[in-house]
Amino acid sequence: MLLCLEDAEQFFRIHKSLMLFVGRRLNLIDCKYASPKSFEKLPPSQRLKVHEALLDHMDLIDAFADENPQRLVEDDIEIARSWTNLVSGEFFAFRQLKQEMIFLSADEPVLAYGVLALFDPFEVVIGPDLPRLIRTTLVPFKGKIIYDGLAIVHDISFGGGVKRILDETYKEAKARNEIIRSLPHHAKGTEAARKNDVSGKRTPVAASSAARPAHDRIVALIDAFCREELDEEYAELCRKLAGILVRKRPSPLVRGKPESWASGIVRVIGWVNFLGDPSQPHHMKMTDIDRAFGVSEATGSAKSMEIRNQHGIDRIDPEWMLKSRMEQNPLVWMIRVNGMIDDARDLPRKVQEEAFRKGLIPFIPDPRAGRTAED
């Protein structure tokens, strides 16, 4: 469902005025861009910087409302003030309903939001194939939730395991009548643990009282192992995978020993990232992982296979690739240009910037890294 035309125009009038104010206050845009309408003429990358700068300077929302440089009416100013309750981060655009798009937060605890589109339907903005992982900012608007007009879509495909988990999460939220349709959101019961901060990060909590002790024990084992043998990058991905496993209904983590699951999880992340390759900064055999956790090779291998099969995890899967290895992953950089599949690392800088703006690549390659794109 879209906002009505009048409301969409009102939102963009206020939002462009705020973005102009933020950009000029932080010296991110040239003073020649003196009107909200001229803000549209900025390059997409520069507008993105202003959007992101606001998240680091939330106090500028109240400053904008107090100064009201564009002489907006009082109703517009009150809407702008309400944006201090925004939620920014990564979300799964999960399901398009008649009245709204369901967004599921990518962080824990997973929250479900009912979001309205602006001028264009979400099918146009993010594509028809769901779920899609996107980075955006949700803002309140007249008792509803909309997005701020900028959505970076990650070009990632999800296996059946992830889709099942998302479906179960949505059904549970729906059954508990916990679809969030207005901001700020006041969580029931454990508000302090589930309260959003402006960056969209949340305090991780286990999915159920039965699975929580197992999850916490597994994560503690993994963290200790990674501190000793690997690094924080590995630990972060392992914790993410443990979080997915604990949210599954019923959670498999309540079956078997924590050491077995810890070994299986580290094996999966190591397998994706070629941990067994001696040329890597960190390398070790899968059997060494099993030995460190005190489980047999058969047990570690079985747990690893179970996790990979249930959640559709493939070799060099971009979702589970270390950030430091991302530039070497060819799957991340293959994009379609004029009907042809090309490696974005070999394309002109302007094409790379556009691909990044659309969320097709994770970052703009550094030409000093070796593969220099021709301008």
Side-chain angles (χ1 to χ4, degrees), residues 8 40 59 158 189 254 270 348:
E40 296 179 349
D59 57 302
F158 299 100
V254 299

Side-chain angles (χ1 to χ4, degrees), residues 71-327:
R71 300 296 182 262
L72 300 176
V73 299
E74 186 59 30
D75 286 348
D76 290 352
I77 291 299
E78 287 307 307
I79 289 173
R81 286 190 188 278
S82 74
W83 292 345
T84 57
N85 298 305
L86 62 80
V87 178
S88 184
E90 291 191 329
F91 304 87
F92 292 98
F94 172 67
R95 180 170 296 173
Q96 179 65 65
L97 305 180
K98 183 177 181 181
Q99 299 295 325
E100 61 196 2
M101 171 71 82
I102 298 298
F103 280 26
L104 300 177
S105 61
D107 293 319
E108 295 182 57
V110 178
L111 301 179
Y113 299 88
V115 183
L116 275 63
L118 302 173
F119 282 127
D120 296 315
F122 282 118
E123 183 178 16
V124 173
V125 176
I126 64 177
D129 298 325
L130 301 177
R132 299 299 297 271
L133 182 63
I134 69 172
R135 178 156 62 95
T136 191
T137 299
L138 306 184
V139 296
F141 185 82
K142 294 186 175 181
K144 303 178 180 67
I145 299 177
I146 60 177
Y147 78 110
D148 69 348
L150 180 66
I152 297 176
V153 184
H154 299 292
D155 191 20
I156 299 174
S157 298
F158 299 100
V162 173
K163 291 180 180 179
R164 283 193 298 272
I165 291 173
L166 295 177
D167 187 58
E168 291 167 3
T169 301
Y170 165 65
K171 288 178 179 178
E172 288 176 5
K174 183 179 179 182
R176 295 193 303 267
N177 195 28
E178 291 184 357
I179 307 297
I180 303 167
R181 296 185 171 92
S182 64
L183 295 172
H185 163 60
H186 300 292
K188 299 177 182 178
T190 57
E191 178 178 354
R194 304 180 71 174
K195 185 178 180 182
N196 295 353
D197 64 22
V198 297
S199 68
K201 297 179 180 178
R202 302 171 181 86
T203 303
V205 297
S208 69
S209 58
R212 181 170 184 170
H215 169 269
D216 292 349
R217 173 59 179 159
I218 292 165
V219 169
L221 289 169
I222 288 171
D223 283 348
F225 175 82
C226 289
R227 281 196 301 270
E228 184 72 22
E229 302 291 345
L230 299 173
D231 57 22
E232 180 57 27
E233 265 197 302
Y234 270 100
E236 182 179 351
L237 284 177
C238 289
R239 288 193 294 265
K240 176 182 175 181
L241 183 52
I244 288 178
L245 293 171
V246 79
R247 291 197 301 269
K248 188 173 175 60
R249 296 293 196 277
S251 173
L253 300 185
V254 299
R255 297 184 286 102
K257 296 180 179 180
E259 291 81 2
S260 301
W261 284 109
S263 180
I265 290 169
V266 175
R267 265 178 165 263
V268 169
I269 302 303
W271 177 77
V272 172
N273 290 279
F274 297 92
L275 182 60
D277 183 356
S279 68
Q280 301 305 314
H282 297 289
H283 65 275
M284 61 192 312
K285 296 178 180 179
M286 296 294 109
T287 52
D288 291 336
I289 297 173
D290 302 328
R291 191 176 300 110
F293 287 109
V295 303
S296 68
E297 179 182 352
T299 297
S301 177
K303 289 299 184 188
S304 173
M305 186 66 70
E306 179 181 347
I307 295 169
R308 283 156 44 194
N309 289 342
Q310 287 187 356
H311 299 283
I313 299 175
D314 299 317
R315 204 70 183 254
I316 62 173
D317 189 327
E319 185 178 0
W320 302 105
M321 178 66 65
L322 298 174
K323 291 180 180 178
S324 59
R325 286 183 52 85
M326 196 70 76
E327 192 161 3

Side-chain angles (χ1 to χ4, degrees), residues 58 200 207 318:
M58 291 290 290

Side-chain angles (χ1 to χ4, degrees), residues 358-373:
K358 292 182 176 180
L360 301 178
I361 57 177
F363 54 85
I364 298 174
D366 185 348
R368 294 171 297 180
R371 297 171 69 109
T372 304

